[in-house]
Structures are given as structure tokens and as C-alpha cells.
Amino acid sequence: MIVREKILIVDDDKDIADLLEVYLKNDGYTVYKFYDGTGALACIEQTELDLAILDVMLPDLDGFKLCSKIREKYFYPVIMLTAKIEDTDKITGLTIGADDYITKPFNPMEVMARVKTQLRRYKRYNGQQQIEAEQKEVVEYDIRGLLINKATHRCTLYGEELTLTPIEFSILWYLCEHQGNVVSSEQLYEAVWGEKFLTNNNNTVMAHIGRLREKLHEPAKKPKFIKTVWGVGYKVE
């Protein structure tokens, strides 16, 4: 039995939503399509999805709110679409938990490539977690009240469980693995995202580090766990 990945498309531009639907269905995906955020929100709450493609500008709920709603419960990839090109919008999307960002107008084949990349990463991550759980291999770090366990994908801070996306968890795990050493943005990006680092990827790393610090209740000026070594990178001491 072939299991088809379920993909949510939300865009009030019907031509774009319909076009993406055609491309995705032609590649064998099951598609849930909405032209507004209200219908999409109900789908998010009722359907086991594998990936979401969200337009930022919608007539009711915007894409940022939908992304935030997804991240309250789910870890599957979220790709944001926008007609804007401001870095602030991109950073906002990444900060609230989006995995990728595509600016309109775009080539549908580019979107398909991004979808496949995100799904591969998500499945590889989940597959590795399942293998580790089956082997009952408990690998964890306990750093001054921060406990992170790779086998169970659990992270707690002073006993309080933190809800991390797969990318956030991978970033924190990688930094803990290299505890005491400085990890550059390039090294971190290539290890976690599995792609070649480009200059603009630095904003992606910064946005995720910022979100991690928020979840760790880190003070902006004197973070306790993830420290910035200016001009070099990040480290967990």
C-alpha cells in the first residue's frame, strides 16, 4: 500500500493555489487546498498532515498565525509564501517556526524541489528517532538544568518540558555535542540543514537561535546556555 504524504496549501490567490495543487497531485501527493485561513485552521486541527505551504497574506488569519498554531502541536515542515521581499518578514516566519521561505513570483518546480527536500529531512529525522527508540539507546546531555535526550526527542529545563521543532532540537543537540567549542553559523547550518551554506543562510541560523533562546527563557544580553562569540559563532559552555 502506497502512503501518500498529505500537504496543506493555503493561498488566497486561487491561480497560485490551483497551480501548486496540480503539480503536487501530479507527483502523487494528497492535497488539502484552502483560499482562507479559517478553513485551513480546521484542517490543521483535524488532519494528520506531513507539510504545509502557507501564504503570509490572507483575508482573515495570516500565514504567521497559522504557522504559530501548527507549532503549538506539530513538528512537520512549514514553507511560507509571500509577495514581500523584506528580510523582517522572512525572519518573522523563521522565528515562529517556519522551515523555509519562498518569495513570489516563483517557479512551481522550485516549490516542488523545496517540498521534497523538507519531506526528506523530516522523514530522515523521524526514521532515525524511531531506530534509536527501538534500540533503546539513551543518549543525553545534562547541562546545568538543561536535559536533552536524543532517543526520546525530549528536552527539559529545570524539569519543565520544552516544545522544540525538529530543527530547533537538532541545533541544540549539535551545540551540546560540541559543548565548550565554538560552532560557526556555516558549520551549524550544514550539519543541521544538510545543505551548502550561503551568506543569506546566516539570517536563518540567527532566527532559529533567537527562537531557541526564547524557549530557554534566555536573557538577551547575558544568555546562560547558548552564547554568541561575535564574529565566530555560537557555543554551549
Side-chain angles (χ1 to χ4, degrees):
M1 179 180 177
I2 298 175
V3 179
R4 296 185 175 185
E5 286 98 342
K6 299 175 182 177
I7 298 180
L8 172 68
I9 301 172
V10 191
D11 198 317
D12 63 335
D13 187 324
K14 295 186 177 182
D15 290 337
I16 290 178
D18 294 348
L19 180 63
L20 289 177
E21 180 185 30
V22 170
Y23 272 82
L24 288 165
K25 283 187 171 181
N26 284 344
D27 257 22
Y29 298 108
T30 298
V31 176
Y32 297 82
K33 180 182 64 177
F34 296 90
Y35 303 127
D36 60 69
T38 304
L41 185 58
C43 179
I44 288 167
E45 294 174 343
Q46 298 168 10
T47 309
E48 225 176 280
L49 298 166
D50 295 290
L51 184 143
I53 301 173
L54 311 176
D55 185 27
V56 170
M57 302 300 292
L58 295 169
D60 44 7
L61 299 172
D62 64 34
F64 294 142
K65 290 179 181 176
L66 286 177
C67 183
S68 295
K69 193 67 179 177
I70 288 172
R71 286 294 175 251
E72 288 178 6
K73 296 182 181 178
Y74 308 109
F75 299 128
Y76 55 77
V78 174
I79 298 174
M80 305 294 292
L81 301 178
T82 181
K84 297 182 178 181
I85 58 173
E86 288 87 348
D87 282 344
T88 51
D89 284 333
K90 181 175 181 180
I91 291 172
T92 298
L94 294 171
T95 300
I96 62 175
D99 297 278
D100 204 352
Y101 215 93
I102 299 175
T103 303
K104 299 177 183 179
F106 53 74
N107 184 327
M109 295 305 296
E110 178 190 359
V111 179
M112 293 302 300
R114 302 281 189 95
V115 165
K116 291 175 182 177
T117 296
Q118 292 296 334
L119 286 173
R120 277 198 306 269
R121 181 180 300 135
Y122 183 56
K123 287 192 289 185
R124 185 172 67 243
Y125 176 86
N126 285 345
Q128 183 61 32
Q129 291 304 114
Q130 183 177 352
I131 290 171
E132 290 174 352
E134 289 172 354
Q135 293 175 340
K136 297 182 179 179
E137 178 189 354
V138 178
V139 182
E140 65 182 23
Y141 291 98
D142 189 350
I143 303 171
R144 300 188 307 281
L146 174 65
L147 182 65
I148 181 168
N149 187 303
K150 191 173 183 180
T152 60
H153 188 253
R154 290 189 69 223
C155 181
T156 60
L157 180 63
Y158 307 126
E160 175 192 353
E161 186 152 2
L162 305 181
T163 303
L164 305 181
T165 67
I167 285 182
E168 290 166 355
F169 187 92
S170 296
I171 289 172
L172 187 56
W173 180 262
Y174 192 82
L175 290 172
C176 288
E177 266 190 319
H178 295 79
Q179 183 182 358
N181 297 317
V182 180
V183 176
S184 69
S185 294
E186 179 178 356
Q187 181 183 349
L188 190 57
Y189 184 86
E190 293 186 355
V192 173
W193 278 263
E195 299 172 1
K196 185 68 178 173
F197 179 83
L198 301 174
T199 304
N200 60 349
N201 296 140
N202 191 50
N203 285 339
T204 300
V205 174
M206 288 175 61
H208 281 85
I209 290 289
R211 183 164 173 81
L212 257 177
R213 283 175 170 159
E214 285 181 13
K215 292 185 176 182
L216 291 168
H217 310 299
E218 295 263 61
K221 293 184 178 179
K222 291 186 177 181
K224 179 180 177 182
F225 296 104
I226 303 175
K227 299 192 175 181
T228 299
V229 180
W230 296 108
V232 185
Y234 307 95
K235 72 173 179 177
V236 169
E237 293 181 336

